[in-house]
Amino acid sequence: MRKDQIRRIFQLEKGAILNSKTSTYRLKKILGYGGFGLVVKCIKQETGETVAIKLSHRQTRHYCQKEGKELKQIKWLGSEEYNIVKFYEEFSYRGQWCLVFELLDITLEDFTKTVVSGGLKLVDIRVITEQLLVALTFLKRSNRVHRDIKPDNVMVQDRKKLKVKLIDFSFLTPVRQMRNVDCCPQIYKSPEDHLNVDVDESVDMWNLGCTLAFLYLGDHLIDGEDDYETWLNIVTLLGHPEEDLLDRADTPFHFYAKIDSEGEQHWELREDLLNMMKALNNEPSLVSPSPDLPERKIKSLDDIENLRPGKMTPDERKDLLCFIDLLKQMLVLDPLKRITPNEALKHHFITMEHFPVCKSNSPYVCEAREKMAIYKLPEGETLGDSSATSPNSKTTTSDGVSPSSSSDSSSDSSVVTTSPSWTSRLNDVRPKKQRNCKSPANGMYSVPIWSLMATTPRSVHSDSLSSKTSYDSVYPASSSSKTSATNGVSSESLKSEASTPEGEFCDQTQTVLKPFSSHLTSNNATVSDGKQEKRQQSADQNEKILTSSLKKTSAMTDTTNTKEMTRKSSCEHVRFNHIVTYTDKQSLHPADISDQQEKIQTSSPKKSSTVTDVKTKNNYKVPRFIQAIFNTKAPELADQMNKQHKTKEPLTKGSENTKAPVPDNEKRSENTSHLVEVKTRKKYWKRIQKFFSNINWFGCCTPKTYENQ
Ligand SMILES: Nc1ncnc2c1ncn2[C@@H]1O[C@H](COP(=O)(O)OP(=O)(O)OP(=O)(O)O)[C@@H](O)[C@H]1O
């Protein structure tokens, strides 16, 4: 479509004025257009700032409105700090919906094809990869999936520093609402979308793998004009999927047929479809099925090694092999086995662990280090904050050497900090206002349970959970959480924070969670005999789950290959979350909790509270103490409960008449113990209040809270 035609459709002339509620924008030129509308360059009249405005067609207005809504939500979670395009505002202009963004330079596709041509250097690809992995980690932890990652949707902001940003959030979807839909181009379509397997955030990793391959090859890794041809290209490159994946698929029959051979059933590619396709194209049909059906330059990912002309230095080759290894882990057919963004950030290709600093460095290695070092933290961000979010952050000195006292034994001391600690910063993907809470390393009740509450494993779906995150978001990674001392923070001070033993962290977590899990036992005491046994068992089981989960977490921080464990643990966590959140539809009260804590210490039986629950619209019983927190009447309630408890106490021991006189010194000690008890309760109450104030109960922000920002 010609530019003047577009201008007519959108009723735009050069110099047109677009008014939002707060600003006036003067149109300068058309930057580009896509499926949903066009993007224009504008000048903000009030400040002279140049911005990019995305205008929707009238027909696609609601898509743009949806995009705006999602953008607001991720902005609230701090997206701009994680290599995602800055979103300013949205407004309506002559019936079209407008989204205002910061102005970026050039798409990665155009950059690779026109500016660089023939593919980017690996040292540059590494810088871009890290930034995109950071963006993906952020999205994963915000429980959202971009769904349309491709070179055209990544824009270069600074060509010199290779600063890139993710754009186009038209398909941004909360993980729990994901469906198999066609959103990205045919050649970027993931195996799960081809086969109709359960789709989740790992679809972004597939697309990123394809994008990175494009950056190296200067051309698309997979091509094909229709689904079948694309699928053939995929399997030629990566092999056929495992039977398990095909068994899980809803539409495997598009490409495979189940064959009975010698009593056993197995899946086989449907050659008849290919012949049919060839007949349609007037091409000769296949005489015999051949494994390399389409003519491809690259028949496996290993072929990438020998693709570029010219001789490579040993370091370059080593780096390339590392890159291919990362690609192989990103382009796994089974989404459940694909590498996660957090794991990818720890891959050798990013950390450059294959280039030990103790050895004399070749010019190639020096260039690689320099490029990664250019990468700066966003303005206003201090390294101190970020490192504090990770209990196991590894520190590095200005020359990039990690202190040998690091708690992480899996990587050697010669690990180089390739960039400031993104990974540690990513552990705190929370609204900015909440981010000043203490870190798990130094604050007992700052365990980010808000994200734990919203955790679901890939295979588990629960309506009661608003969203899902990775298990590793709760317990920050150790091995690659590196910080650089170059940004003005002494490595010693960071080291002291970073060296918090994992065990201690787990113990702290256990202390926080113990009252809740143990509460189940307390309430069980009031239930009738038959049910009591069952509930006791389930409470014991829950205790076990919690303990094993925490153990696994600590183990996870030690090991690198923990994907399976992560899933299992997160599964258990979900079950635990149910317990914590809804406590098996029983009531909880701060006083009960402290009682319970007492019970653990003294092992004396105690009556459970008989507070009544309030039911929500969904018939969920909201524990009374949670209501109390939100009503901010909790302290009074706690005191009330304490009083009730105090007055009830003598009755449980016997009537006043029968009570023997208490000697003076014993009275004093009783009074003191009472004071201690009240103090302990208050202390626990404060901690619990703090702990729950960090929880985002409903998994997402409301527009009201957004407006308050
Ligand atoms: N912030 C920006 N700064 C400069 N140019 C931009 C910006 N955002 C988008 N563009 C340009 O506009 C084009 C279309 O943008 P975008 O991908 O967001 O629109 P779309 O309608 O969703 O496209 P698609 O059909 O590819 O999904 C981009 O390829 C890019 O060239």
Side-chain angles (χ1 to χ4, degrees):
M1 215 188 305
R2 283 190 6 239
K3 282 193 177 178
D4 53 327
Q5 278 178 309
I6 298 168
R7 280 210 179 99
R8 222 175 317 118
I9 292 170
F10 285 91
Q11 303 169 19
L12 291 172
E13 300 101 39
K14 202 174 173 186
I17 296 287
L18 289 81
N19 279 318
S20 78
K21 272 184 190 164
T22 53
S23 312
T24 308
Y25 301 96
R26 183 176 291 279
L27 192 139
K28 293 297 279 181
K29 65 169 186 176
I30 292 173
L31 290 169
Y33 50 94
F36 290 109
L38 86 157
V39 180
V40 291
K41 181 178 169 180
C42 288
I43 307 273
K44 190 175 174 179
Q45 297 292 83
E46 291 83 2
T47 57
E49 191 187 349
T50 336
V51 293
I53 300 184
K54 185 171 175 176
L55 290 118
S56 68
H57 296 285
R58 276 172 201 272
Q59 295 89 332
T60 57
R61 181 187 157 107
H62 71 279
Y63 288 107
C64 258
Q65 282 176 322
K66 187 183 157 279
E67 184 179 353
K69 198 174 140 203
E70 289 292 344
L71 280 163
K72 270 197 234 169
Q73 295 200 350
I74 58 167
K75 181 182 172 144
W76 189 70
L77 292 167
S79 61
E80 290 167 359
E81 295 168 41
Y82 301 96
N83 309 323
I84 287 168
V85 65
K86 272 187 193 164
F87 170 64
Y88 296 131
E89 64 167 330
E90 57 182 336
F91 60 91
S92 179
Y93 169 75
R94 293 186 186 172
Q96 296 146 9
W97 201 249
C98 307
L99 304 173
V100 186
F101 296 99
E102 67 178 314
L103 184 76
L104 299 171
D105 186 359
I106 183 171
T107 66
L108 214 46
E109 177 148 16
D110 291 342
F111 184 73
T112 314
K113 278 186 176 165
T114 54
V115 182
V116 191
S117 84
L120 268 66
K121 288 200 289 183
L122 270 184
V123 286
D124 294 335
I125 294 175
R126 184 179 1 258
V127 181
I128 294 169
T129 309
E130 193 197 29
Q131 294 173 72
L132 293 178
L133 284 173
V134 165
L136 285 204
T137 313
F138 167 80
L139 288 178
K140 182 174 157 67
R141 291 187 181 172
S142 317
N143 302 304
R144 280 166 177 82
V145 188
H146 185 282
R147 262 245 155 260
D148 194 15
I149 292 176
K150 55 184 181 184
D152 202 32
N153 281 341
V154 179
M155 287 199 78
V156 180
Q157 186 177 32
D158 186 333
R159 295 188 195 201
K160 221 171 147 198
K161 290 180 187 170
L162 278 173
K163 173 85 187 154
V164 293
K165 294 214 172 177
L166 202 53
I167 63 157
D168 192 0
F169 291 84
S170 319
F171 292 107
L172 191 76
T173 323
V175 183
R176 67 184 187 283
Q177 291 171 12
M178 283 188 75
R179 305 269 179 282
N180 291 105
V181 285
D182 282 343
C183 34
C184 51
Q186 180 73 36
I187 52 174
Y188 280 77
K189 197 167 164 180
S190 65
E192 49 268 43
D193 281 334
H194 275 293
L195 297 169
N196 269 304
V197 182
D198 276 352
V199 68
D200 63 17
E201 68 272 359
S202 57
V203 73
D204 279 349
M205 191 50 81
W206 174 271
N207 291 340
L208 181 62
C210 295
T211 305
L212 296 184
F214 170 84
L215 296 186
Y216 185 78
L217 303 172
D219 198 0
H220 298 293
L221 177 71
I222 297 158
D223 56 21
E225 280 174 12
D226 54 46
D227 268 1
Y228 193 74
E229 206 180 315
T230 314
W231 183 254
L232 285 180
N233 282 325
I234 291 175
V235 295
T236 308
L237 200 68
L238 306 167
H240 288 285
E242 287 172 14
E243 301 257 315
D244 167 54
L245 179 64
L246 292 172
D247 288 336
R248 278 181 4 236
D250 282 346
T251 55
F253 303 105
H254 287 177
F255 312 114
Y256 293 89
K258 206 148 201 183
I259 307 289
D260 243 332
S261 72
E262 294 164 9
E264 275 190 29
Q265 285 197 327
H266 65 272
W267 293 99
E268 247 178 43
L269 191 72
R270 290 181 60 181
E271 304 287 358
D272 55 326
L273 287 177
L274 187 74
N275 284 334
M276 217 153 66
M277 209 170 71
K278 292 207 169 243
L280 282 173
N281 295 338
N282 291 331
E283 287 175 34
S285 72
L286 287 164
V287 180
S288 65
S290 144
D292 39 9
L293 298 164
E295 257 316 301
R296 301 267 316 149
K297 220 171 22 179
I298 310 167
K299 291 199 174 119
S300 88
L301 288 177
D302 290 319
D303 291 348
I304 294 177
E305 193 186 339
N306 305 312
L307 221 62
R308 280 194 182 170
K311 231 183 145 202
M312 267 186 212
T313 64
D315 277 336
E316 265 179 278
R317 190 161 295 278
K318 222 196 249 179
D319 211 16
L320 180 57
L321 290 177
C322 243
F323 175 64
I324 294 171
D325 182 67
L326 179 61
L327 279 187
K328 280 183 184 171
Q329 294 189 45
M330 288 177 165
L331 297 171
V332 174
L333 291 179
D334 191 339
L336 295 177
K337 293 178 182 161
R338 221 168 275 155
I339 195 168
T340 64
N342 201 33
E343 286 166 350
L345 276 168
K346 293 174 211 160
H347 191 274
H348 283 201
F349 178 66
I350 302 294
T351 60
M352 294 201 288
E353 281 172 52
H354 53 296
F355 296 138
V357 272
C358 44
K359 287 190 180 173
S360 63
N361 295 322
S362 66
Y364 178 82
V365 177
C366 290
E367 189 191 350
R369 289 224 178 93
E370 261 170 43
K371 295 232 166 173
M372 289 297 268
I374 290 173
Y375 204 112
K376 290 253 162 59
L377 282 167
E379 274 173 40
E381 179 96 32
T382 58
L383 204 63
D385 297 349
S386 57
S387 59
T389 60
S390 168
N392 304 310
S393 312
K394 213 161 116 186
T395 56
T396 52
T397 54
S398 52
D399 57 3
V401 185
S402 163
S404 52
S405 61
S406 163
S407 59
D408 184 13
S409 55
S410 62
S411 51
D412 64 33
S413 59
S414 59
V415 174
V416 174
T417 295
T418 52
S419 72
S421 179
W422 280 113
T423 38
S424 63
R425 296 172 60 242
L426 280 164
N427 291 317
D428 207 8
V429 180
R430 270 178 294 167
K432 276 183 195 168
K433 274 187 182 175
Q434 290 182 22
R435 258 185 260 159
N436 51 5
C437 304
K438 280 184 189 170
S439 73
N442 46 25
M444 194 168 177
Y445 290 94
S446 56
V447 185
I449 299 293
W450 55 273
S451 60
L452 185 144
M453 286 300 194
T455 303
T456 347
R458 284 173 179 175
S459 51
V460 175
H461 279 278
S462 166
D463 288 338
S464 61
L465 297 177
S466 55
S467 49
K468 61 178 181 176
T469 57
S470 90
Y471 187 68
D472 46 18
S473 67
V474 180
Y475 301 100
S478 61
S479 61
S480 72
S481 308
K482 304 177 195 78
T483 50
S484 160
T486 48
N487 290 34
V489 178
S490 83
S491 67
E492 273 310 306
S493 67
L494 290 179
K495 204 168 110 187
S496 62
E497 272 181 356
S499 61
T500 309
E502 286 151 16
E504 197 182 317
F505 175 51
C506 285
D507 285 344
Q508 287 175 351
T509 325
Q510 232 155 353
T511 323
V512 176
L513 303 176
K514 190 90 178 173
F516 303 99
S517 53
S518 54
H519 174 79
L520 293 172
T521 337
S522 94
N523 274 1
N524 289 341
T526 59
V527 192
S528 66
D529 279 344
K531 282 181 184 173
Q532 186 182 347
E533 217 174 272
K534 264 189 182 175
R535 288 211 178 171
Q536 183 67 50
Q537 276 172 5
S538 85
D540 289 344
Q541 217 179 340
N542 291 327
E543 281 278 343
K544 270 184 210 160
I545 290 165
L546 167 65
T547 326
S548 73
S549 253
L550 291 162
K551 272 184 193 159
K552 277 175 187 171
T553 313
S554 87
M556 270 168 63
T557 46
D558 283 332
T559 52
T560 44
N561 187 17
T562 56
K563 208 166 179 178
E564 195 50 43
M565 214 149 73
T566 307
R567 291 211 175 91
K568 280 185 189 164
S569 306
S570 65
C571 215
E572 289 171 7
H573 244 104
V574 169
R575 285 148 69 192
F576 173 64
N577 288 339
H578 279 288
I579 302 158
V580 169
T581 322
Y582 300 110
T583 57
D584 206 9
K585 295 192 179 178
Q586 296 177 48
S587 58
L588 270 174
H589 192 279
D592 286 6
I593 293 161
S594 52
D595 284 346
Q596 206 43 47
Q597 193 71 24
E598 212 176 77
K599 189 183 159 192
I600 296 158
Q601 283 158 13
T602 57
S603 309
S604 65
K606 196 152 193 79
K607 267 196 173 181
S608 68
S609 103
T610 50
V611 281
T612 44
D613 292 339
V614 169
K615 286 185 179 182
T616 62
K617 270 185 202 165
N618 311 335
N619 238 3
Y620 260 130
K621 282 181 188 171
V622 178
R624 193 172 157 197
F625 88 100
I626 294 173
Q627 297 163 34
I629 291 167
F630 286 104
N631 292 338
T632 61
K633 282 182 185 164
E636 291 101 67
L637 274 172
D639 280 343
Q640 227 173 313
M641 282 301 290
N642 280 342
K643 273 179 208 160
Q644 272 178 24
H645 175 72
K646 242 169 60 188
T647 48
K648 275 181 192 171
E649 221 165 31
L651 294 174
T652 55
K653 284 176 186 168
S655 73
E656 265 183 314
N657 300 343
T658 55
K659 222 176 156 190
V662 186
D664 261 8
N665 58 340
E666 266 188 56
K667 257 186 196 167
R668 218 175 300 126
S669 77
E670 210 179 271
N671 278 344
T672 342
S673 73
H674 169 68
L675 270 176
V676 170
E677 189 194 272
V678 169
K679 266 189 181 173
T680 321
R681 285 180 185 190
K682 278 190 177 166
K683 196 173 87 187
Y684 273 114
W685 167 245
K686 271 187 186 165
R687 287 176 178 182
I688 289 159
Q689 198 183 24
K690 196 170 170 190
F691 169 69
F692 276 97
S693 67
N694 286 340
I695 298 168
N696 183 359
W697 289 96
F698 305 103
C700 61
C701 62
T702 60
K704 207 175 166 194
T705 39
Y706 173 73
E707 274 162 27
N708 292 341
Q709 287 301 296

